[in-house]
Amino acid sequence: MREQLENIKKLASDDIQSSRSDAELDAVRVKYLGKKGLLTGILRGMGQISPEERPVIGALANTVREELEKYIEEKSLFLREKELSEKLENEKLDVTLPAKKKNIGKLHPISLVENRMREIFIGMGFEVVEGPEVESAYNNFDALNAPADHPSRDYTDTFYISTDILLRTQTSPVQIRAMQKKKPPIRIISPGRVYRVDELDSTHSPVFHQLEGLVIDKNINMGDLKGTLALFARAMFGERTKTRFRPHNFPFTEPSAEVDVSCFVCGGKGCRFCKSEGWIEILGAGMVHPNVLSGCGIDPEVYTGFAFGVGLERVALLKYNIDDLRLLYENDIRFLEQF
Ligand code: DAH
């Protein structure tokens, strides 16, 4: 019996030794120490041995059991530690590997310019309103005091949908809609798309963007217009920017002006960017014509106002030093991701 015990101990030890997982180890435990296990079987047969030998064999059997249990426990611990260190090894991060580049969406330069203008004018108390791109000839021309024979009315300049419906050629008709709908004081800006019959080239596009401004109230004068645009120009192009008004002619304003800003590259000294002028033209403006006010039911004897219109593409080209308008419409990622 002593021999049998020694033999079981040897076999069990070998089995434990060769176990590769907790499951295998468990099978070994059942095989030797389980209810129907080999060692348990030996202990059951104790009745057949002599009473003198019983305590000796019993003690030996218990020692073998304890040793095997301890051995299994140790092996189980060893397997768990091995599993953990293998897991850690496999999950190791190589922080020296180059990172994957994430492509983050960017706003289009025209959106950037529009958003900045919105911010600036909202900061001055303007309200943003939008008008339709399909507009009546009345709002786009007649109500804006355009003479019946004005060349811009021609179908070679304007996209007509019918004789009196067209794609707006300017954002100015939103002025008309605002004045028809609201009593003064009015203080609005209106950004949006406009359309003109033009071939696409480095400076022209049949579709482009403008932002219209309109202020109507009692006692609004040219000084208010100059102050508003000077503040806008400094916010848009830098604190040192100066503005200059040159007489011009628009049907819907009297007096009318074209507005230049001092060159933000050379500061006004004259450089290649401003073609040695020191000044760059950025927008049209003026005092709203009395005919336009009265046509919208606003008494020009009581109210006055100013208006201005600025091209967003023009500002984007200048601000970001882009030399070809077409780049803004081609949507080449290599161009767009620079902004
Ligand atoms: N609508 C003019 C254009 O498309 C721009 C403009 C000039 C708008 C003077 C105005 C203004 O409101 O007062 O060229």
Side-chain angles (χ1 to χ4, degrees):
M1 201 137 206
R2 192 186 296 271
E3 249 168 60
Q4 264 181 316
L5 279 172
E6 289 297 343
N7 200 27
I8 282 175
K9 185 178 162 187
K10 168 105 190 25
L11 289 172
S13 297
D14 289 350
D15 280 357
I16 292 167
Q17 171 107 53
S18 61
S19 291
R20 288 276 155 270
S21 67
D22 255 356
E24 277 179 45
L25 207 53
D26 225 43
V28 175
R29 191 200 317 275
V30 173
K31 181 174 169 192
Y32 295 97
L33 306 176
K35 268 195 195 138
K36 294 178 186 160
L38 292 174
L39 185 66
T40 322
I42 301 251
L43 291 173
R44 279 224 188 83
M46 289 273 276
Q48 281 140 44
I49 57 178
S50 66
E52 306 86 68
E53 256 197 318
R54 232 177 263 165
V56 184
I57 297 296
L60 182 64
N62 275 334
T63 314
V64 170
R65 167 181 281 280
E66 275 163 23
E67 278 175 5
L68 290 179
E69 274 171 352
K70 195 169 155 234
Y71 194 14
I72 289 172
E73 184 57 37
E74 279 169 8
K75 178 76 187 205
S76 164
L77 191 70
F78 168 81
L79 285 175
R80 269 180 278 148
E81 275 173 1
K82 192 167 151 229
E83 194 186 350
L84 182 67
S85 62
E86 274 170 10
K87 212 166 146 190
L88 288 175
E89 182 68 21
N90 290 338
E91 287 175 1
K92 197 166 70 178
L93 277 183
D94 183 353
V95 292
T96 64
L97 278 175
K100 275 201 194 121
K101 191 177 167 219
K102 282 224 169 69
N103 287 320
I104 298 170
K106 294 266 184 91
L107 286 176
H108 191 280
I110 292 178
S111 301
L112 291 173
V113 163
E114 184 186 319
N115 290 351
R116 180 71 189 123
M117 288 189 189
R118 283 174 182 250
E119 263 173 25
I120 295 167
F121 285 108
I122 287 170
M124 288 193 245
F126 283 73
E127 182 192 346
V128 182
V129 297
E130 280 176 42
E133 291 169 26
V134 177
E135 185 54 283
S136 65
Y138 177 82
N139 285 347
N140 193 80
F141 291 125
D142 304 277
L144 285 161
N145 201 35
D149 58 353
H150 197 275
S152 67
R153 288 182 182 254
D154 207 277
Y155 72 93
T156 54
D157 280 10
T158 298
F159 292 107
Y160 281 91
I161 288 168
S162 65
T163 38
D164 45 12
I165 304 289
L166 44 73
L167 295 181
R168 66 180 179 187
T169 62
Q170 47 189 351
T171 43
S172 304
V174 188
Q175 289 184 27
I176 303 302
R177 291 176 174 269
M179 288 188 278
Q180 286 166 344
K181 222 167 76 189
K182 292 211 320 182
K183 292 267 142 287
I186 296 170
R187 195 158 29 171
I188 56 140
I189 54 162
S190 184
R193 270 196 205 111
V194 300
Y195 302 82
R196 287 181 198 178
V197 181
D198 260 325
E199 289 295 328
L200 182 65
D201 65 24
S202 65
T203 53
H204 295 86
S205 164
V207 188
F208 59 103
H209 300 75
Q210 289 186 333
L211 182 136
E212 191 79 11
L214 175 74
V215 172
I216 309 282
D217 203 352
K218 288 177 178 153
N219 301 319
I220 296 293
N221 59 40
M222 196 83 177
D224 297 314
L225 171 61
K226 290 180 101 171
T228 303
L229 292 182
L231 210 146
F232 160 69
R234 287 199 301 270
M236 195 73 206
F237 300 107
E239 267 313 302
R240 277 204 240 276
T241 310
K242 292 201 266 304
T243 40
R244 177 174 85 169
F245 280 57
R246 276 182 294 103
H248 198 72
N249 178 53
F250 295 108
F252 34 85
T253 44
E254 182 58 37
S256 303
E258 271 188 336
V259 181
D260 302 337
V261 292
S262 56
C263 176
F264 34 83
V265 174
C266 65
K269 284 195 212 77
C271 66
R272 252 180 54 211
F273 190 72
C274 58
K275 302 194 177 73
S276 307
E277 293 278 330
W279 295 94
I280 298 164
E281 184 221 314
I282 56 154
L283 55 82
M287 301 305 294
V288 180
H289 198 291
N291 289 353
V292 174
L293 292 173
S294 53
C296 295
I298 293 173
D299 186 351
E301 298 296 330
V302 181
Y303 292 103
T304 51
F306 66 75
F308 57 89
V310 49
L312 300 188
E313 277 79 356
R314 175 151 180 80
V315 172
L317 295 190
L318 290 170
K319 199 170 162 57
Y320 299 117
N321 202 353
I322 302 164
D323 58 9
D324 193 321
L325 182 71
R326 287 168 289 200
L327 287 166
L328 293 174
Y329 306 120
E330 282 163 357
N331 288 334
D332 185 328
I333 293 286
R334 292 166 302 179
F335 169 76
L336 293 176
E337 70 186 359
Q338 298 174 47
F339 300 93

